[in-house]
Amino acid sequence: MSWQDWRLETDAAGIAWLMLDRHDAGTNVLTEQVLEEFNQALEQLEQSPPAGLVIRSAKPNGFIAGADVRAFTDLESRDQALELIRRGQAACDRLEALPCPTLALMRGFCLGGGLELALACRYRIAVDVPNTRLGLPEVRLGIHPGFGGSVRSIAAIGAPAALDLMLTGRGVSARQARRLGLVQHAVPERHAETAARTLLQEARALPRLAWWKRAANHRLTRPLLAAFMRRKVAAKARPEHYPAPYALLDLCVKHGDDRRSMFAAEAESVADLIRGDTAQNLVRVFFLQERLKGLAKGNKSDPTHVHVIGAGVMGGDIAAWCALQGWRVTLQDQSPARIAPAIGRAGKLFRKRLKIQREITAALDRLIPDHRGQHVEHADVVIEAIFEDREAKQQLYQAIEPRMKSDALLATNTSSIPLEELASVMARPQRLVGLHFFNPVARMQLVEVVRGEKTAPEVIDRALAFTRAIDRLPLPVASKPGFLVNRILMPYLLEAVELVEEGVPPARIDAAAEAFGMPMGPITLADTVGLDICLHVARILGEAFGLAMPARLEQLVADGHLGKKSGRGFYRYHKGKQIKTRDSGSAAPTDIESRLVLRLLNEAAACLREGVVEDGDLLDAGMIFGTGFAPFRGGPMHYADDRSAGAILVELHDLEARHGGRFAPDPWWEQRQETD
C-alpha cells in the first residue's frame, strides 16, 4: 500500500521495517492521519506476519514527539476527547497483539504518545546519542498518559520508577533508560540496526521484574506508594492548580491490579482533564513556546566562537552555557583569579548535564580563560556582561569595537539600561543588540532580544538565531527601561515590600502569591535575586516611571543584608536555606493577592500600550518563561482577558482609592474595554 506518512519495507531476513516520516512537517507526531495509516499498516502485517517488526523514524531529529497537541484545542465535547484517546489506545493495543516479535528503535526524542507506542512493542532499543530523550511529559500539558502508557510503563519498569517519570514529566537519556529497564539496549548509532535484527531473531523472553518492583504495585502497597508520591507532588504543585498528577495517583490506587480496568479509567480520566482550564491553558503555553522557537526560523547560526566579557555569576554562567551547547567560548575578566570561580561552576554544570567524562572534558576544553581579552578579534559573537553601570559599559565598547571583526555581533546583557544610551559612544551603533539572560542561566529558558532605535534588522535576526542555537527562547523586546520582564516584575516586588512595611509578615505575603500560582513568593524571590540588585533596578525604573522606593528595602541594603547570598534579607538563611519563622497569626489585609497581581497586570498593560512587545501573547510568553508566572493561568494578559478589562478597571479604581496613585489604571484598560 502507498501511504503519505509511513513506509514499509521487508529485508532479506523477513524482518519488516515500518518507518514514520510525516510528510507535511519536520517532526513526527501522532496525528489522526498518522494513526489511521498506522492501523492500515498493522492490518497488512496481521494478514501477512513478518519474522519481526521494527518501528523507527525516518526523521533525523527524533522518533515521535507525542500526540498531536493541536487536536487538543479543537475538542468540543468530552465524548469527542474520549474518542480521540481510545483511538490511540486501540492502535497501541493492536500493535501489542501482532503475531510476531516487535521492536521500537528510538533515536532522538521519544516522548508522550511516542513512548506509549514504543511501550506496546515487545522490545525497545535506544540509540545512544546526545539528543536521545525518552519521557512521558503529559503532566506539562495538564493531563497524564492516555494511550496505555500508565499501564505499560508500570509493567515495564515498576510502579516507583514509572510514576516518577509520569509525575515529573522528566526525560531520560538512552543509558538512563537502559538502567531503568525502559529499553533492553542502549547502543551506538553504527550498531543500531544490527542490534535490532539480533534481538528480534533471538526473540528471548523478557526478564521478570524484581520482586520489590512487583510488590510496589500490589493492592496493599499501592496506597502507601501513592501517599508518598502525593507528598512529593504537593511540594511543587497544588491539586487545585494542577489536577493531573493527583488524578493519575488515584487511578493507580483504584485500578493498578486490573489491566483492562486501568486502560478504561486512564482514557476516562484524560478525557475529563483535557478540556479543563488547566490543560487548555498549558496547551496554550506549549504553543507560546513554539511561537518563540519559530521567531528564529530561516536564520542560521552555526556554532563557532563566542567571547564573553565579565566572569561574574551572569557572564560566567552564560559562557558555560554556550560551551555546553558546543560553542568555542573565551571568557574575559580583569585577572585569572576572577575567572577561576566561573570555570569551577562550569565544571559542576558539565558534570551534572553530560555525565560522560570525555564529553565533560570536551566542554571544559571549549571554555577558555582569556583575562587579557586577546580573542575579541576572532569572536563571531561578543557578549558584554559586566556590572550594571552605564559609563563602564560605554568605556568598554569604545575599547573593543575597533578590535572586533566587522561582521561580529556585539550583545549586552544589561538588565535595564536602554541601548540608545549605551550605543551613543559607538562608531556603528546599529551592531549593538541586547541579549538579556535570566539567573540561573542554565534553568531559565528566556532571553530578551533587545532592539535599540538604531539596531539593524539583520542584527536582530542574527541575535534571534544565536539564542535558538544555544537552546534558549528568544523574546524580541523594545529598548525601554527594564525591557519587559523586569519592568513588569518590579512593581509586583515593590508592592510586596510595601506590605512588609505595613506590618504584614513576609511569609503571609509569599503564601498569598503561591496560592495564586506563582512558583515562589515575591519576598523570597527578592531575597534570591539579591536585594542590592532589586534596589539598583528599582532605582533605574523609578527614575523612568516614578516608582517610589520603599524605605525598608533601602535600609536592608544599606545594612549589608542583601538576601540569600549574605545570609540575611527579609528572611534569615543558614547554609543557603531559608530559616522558617512562625506566623504570629495576627490579622492581615484581605487584599494581598489583589494588590500584588493588579500591580503586575497594570504594568503589563502599560508595556502593551507602549509597544515593548508586539502583542499580548508574546508578553504572556515572556512572563511565563522569564518569571514562572502561573503557567496554568495561561499568562498575565490571558488571565486578564478571562476576568475582563471592565472588572479589572473596577478593582484598580478601588485599590487606588484605598492605597494611592500607584494603582491608577493604565489607559490601555479603557481602550481594551471599548473593544471587548
Side-chain angles (χ1 to χ4, degrees):
M1 296 183 68
S2 176
W3 301 299
Q4 287 188 309
D5 297 323
W6 292 92
R7 187 167 72 252
L8 182 61
E9 300 172 356
T10 303
D11 64 19
I15 294 174
W17 295 76
L18 183 59
M19 288 166 279
L20 177 57
D21 188 4
R22 193 173 156 215
H23 77 285
D24 57 353
T27 299
N28 288 331
V29 297
L30 298 176
T31 64
E32 185 174 352
Q33 177 174 300
V34 167
L35 284 174
E36 175 59 32
E37 291 186 357
F38 183 58
N39 272 305
Q40 293 174 14
L42 293 177
E43 182 179 0
Q44 183 173 325
L45 293 165
E46 287 166 347
Q47 293 172 357
S48 180
L53 170 67
V54 178
I55 300 177
R56 67 183 305 178
S57 168
K59 301 283 189 193
N61 58 353
F63 183 67
I64 301 173
D68 180 15
V69 179
R70 293 193 182 279
F72 297 173
T73 63
D74 299 329
L75 299 172
E76 297 178 357
S77 67
R78 182 185 184 278
D79 288 344
Q80 193 177 3
L82 189 57
E83 181 185 354
L84 174 70
I85 298 154
R86 285 176 172 166
R87 192 180 305 133
Q89 276 195 356
C92 290
D93 287 349
R94 195 171 186 178
L95 170 62
E96 187 177 48
L98 277 180
C100 65
T102 54
L103 182 146
L105 181 58
M106 299 163 287
R107 182 193 185 283
F109 50 74
C110 175
L111 304 171
L115 183 54
E116 292 186 90
L117 186 147
L119 284 165
C121 293
R122 184 188 300 181
Y123 307 113
R124 289 166 297 281
I125 291 177
V127 180
D128 188 13
V129 292
N131 68 326
T132 292
R133 304 296 292 179
L134 283 67
L136 295 166
E138 287 90 342
V139 289
R140 297 178 183 175
L141 294 176
I143 57 175
H144 55 68
F147 291 175
S150 61
V151 180
R152 293 189 176 97
S153 63
I154 289 173
I157 62 176
L163 285 173
D164 179 68
L165 282 180
M166 291 186 283
L167 295 173
T168 63
R170 70 186 180 92
V172 296
S173 67
R175 295 187 185 195
Q176 289 171 321
R178 174 66 188 91
R179 287 194 292 270
L180 285 172
L182 200 58
V183 300
Q184 280 68 51
H185 298 292
V187 299
E189 189 159 16
R190 64 185 182 277
H191 297 319
E193 292 188 6
T194 301
R197 287 191 179 93
T198 301
L199 195 52
L200 286 174
Q201 289 168 342
E202 291 179 350
R204 294 181 182 179
L206 295 174
R208 197 178 185 196
L209 280 178
W211 69 267
W212 63 270
K213 292 182 180 180
R214 300 195 306 274
N217 199 37
H218 190 276
R219 62 184 178 84
L220 296 178
T221 54
R222 280 199 312 274
L224 298 175
L225 175 63
F228 171 73
M229 290 293 191
R230 192 180 298 271
R231 286 194 297 272
K232 289 183 68 175
V233 171
K236 295 185 177 181
R238 296 172 179 243
E240 64 270 26
H241 296 163
Y242 299 97
Y246 299 93
L248 175 63
L249 289 170
D250 288 342
L251 281 180
C252 292
V253 170
K254 293 177 184 177
H255 306 284
D257 54 359
D258 186 334
R259 180 181 168 91
R260 295 320 310 175
S261 173
M262 183 75 168
F263 276 133
E266 177 194 72
E268 297 278 353
S269 177
V270 175
D272 288 332
L273 291 165
I274 204 169
R275 296 187 68 250
D277 289 342
T278 293
Q280 289 299 309
N281 284 338
L282 290 177
V283 168
R284 167 182 164 77
V285 172
F286 171 83
F287 286 117
L288 291 177
Q289 183 179 45
E290 292 301 298
R291 182 177 175 188
L292 293 184
K293 290 179 180 178
L295 292 174
K297 282 186 176 175
N299 302 307
K300 292 186 178 180
S301 184
D302 297 324
T304 45
H305 184 181
V306 180
H307 184 77
V308 180
I309 304 175
V313 171
M314 289 304 297
D317 290 358
I318 291 169
W321 182 258
C322 292
L324 181 67
Q325 301 305 313
W327 291 67
R328 182 172 184 266
V329 182
T330 45
L331 179 58
Q332 177 182 346
D333 211 308
Q334 294 175 348
S335 68
R338 289 179 179 267
I339 299 174
I343 301 297
R345 292 195 309 275
K348 291 180 181 178
L349 173 68
F350 300 158
R351 286 189 291 274
K352 180 178 179 181
R353 294 295 184 102
L354 298 175
K355 310 295 185 185
I356 301 171
Q357 186 56 50
R358 68 175 181 275
E359 294 179 2
I360 296 168
T361 302
L364 284 168
D365 287 345
R366 290 193 295 269
L367 181 57
I368 305 164
D370 179 24
H371 72 279
R372 293 188 177 90
Q374 295 174 331
H375 289 82
V376 169
E377 290 91 343
H378 310 295
D380 301 286
V381 179
V382 176
I383 301 176
E384 169 269 303
I386 67 172
F387 55 97
E388 197 76 343
D389 182 88
R390 184 181 295 105
E391 291 184 2
K393 291 177 186 288
Q394 289 175 334
Q395 290 173 7
L396 176 65
Y397 300 162
Q398 287 177 311
I400 65 172
E401 187 183 12
R403 300 171 52 203
M404 291 173 55
K405 292 164 60 175
S406 61
D407 60 345
L409 200 67
L410 176 58
T412 174
N413 186 52
T414 180
S415 59
S416 55
I417 304 173
L419 265 64
E420 292 74 21
E421 298 177 15
L422 298 177
S424 62
V425 299
M426 293 178 57
R428 292 173 56 199
Q430 66 270 20
R431 78 190 306 179
L432 181 67
V433 65
L435 287 178
H436 179 216
F437 291 77
F438 294 86
N439 191 29
V441 172
R443 289 176 54 193
M444 300 300 290
Q445 291 181 276
L446 192 78
V447 174
E448 289 179 315
V449 178
V450 188
R451 63 182 185 278
E453 289 180 0
K454 295 185 178 181
T455 307
E458 60 270 20
V459 170
I460 293 294
D461 289 343
R462 290 179 59 204
L464 293 170
F466 170 73
T467 304
R468 281 304 299 141
I470 60 169
D471 195 29
R472 301 290 82 173
L473 298 174
L475 176 70
V477 299
S479 177
K480 305 277 188 178
F483 312 134
L484 179 80
V485 173
N486 283 345
R487 163 96 178 261
I488 295 176
L489 192 62
M490 192 50 62
Y492 164 79
L493 295 179
L494 292 179
E495 191 61 31
V497 179
E498 290 280 357
L499 284 160
V500 173
E501 289 196 335
E502 293 172 16
V504 182
R508 193 80 62 90
I509 300 164
D510 281 348
E514 290 168 6
F516 176 78
M518 298 299 194
M520 180 185 291
I523 301 299
T524 298
L525 177 60
D527 268 0
T528 302
V529 170
L531 300 187
D532 52 338
I533 295 173
C534 289
L535 181 60
H536 181 79
V537 174
R539 282 173 173 164
I540 292 173
L541 297 182
E543 184 180 331
F545 304 111
L547 296 175
M549 293 302 105
R552 179 69 181 277
L553 179 60
E554 292 185 320
Q555 188 60 54
L556 283 169
V557 174
D559 293 341
H561 302 317
L562 309 182
K564 188 175 181 179
K565 61 187 174 185
S566 69
R568 180 178 173 187
F570 287 99
Y571 295 102
R572 291 179 182 271
Y573 298 84
H574 178 66
K575 294 183 178 179
K577 292 187 177 181
Q578 190 181 110
I579 299 173
K580 300 294 183 182
T581 56
R582 181 177 296 179
D583 193 326
S584 64
S586 57
T590 58
D591 61 356
I592 295 175
E593 179 185 300
S594 294
R595 287 173 62 175
L596 294 173
V597 174
L598 268 292
R599 284 291 299 274
L600 186 151
L601 292 181
N602 206 31
E603 200 63 37
C607 287
L608 283 180
R609 177 175 52 80
E610 295 175 16
V612 176
V613 285
E614 184 179 327
D615 55 44
D617 284 351
L618 286 181
L619 187 148
D620 284 347
M623 294 307 292
I624 290 168
F625 295 110
T627 73
F629 180 93
F632 72 94
R633 296 192 184 276
M637 303 318 297
H638 185 71
Y639 170 71
D641 285 344
D642 284 345
R643 293 188 57 183
S644 85
I648 288 174
L649 262 174
V650 169
E651 191 168 358
L652 281 168
H653 281 306
D654 177 60
L655 290 170
E656 182 185 19
R658 289 188 286 117
H659 299 292
R662 65 184 183 275
F663 287 100
D666 188 87
W668 186 89
W669 296 111
E670 289 191 3
Q671 299 167 12
R672 182 70 172 196
Q673 187 181 30
E674 291 172 1
T675 59
D676 282 349

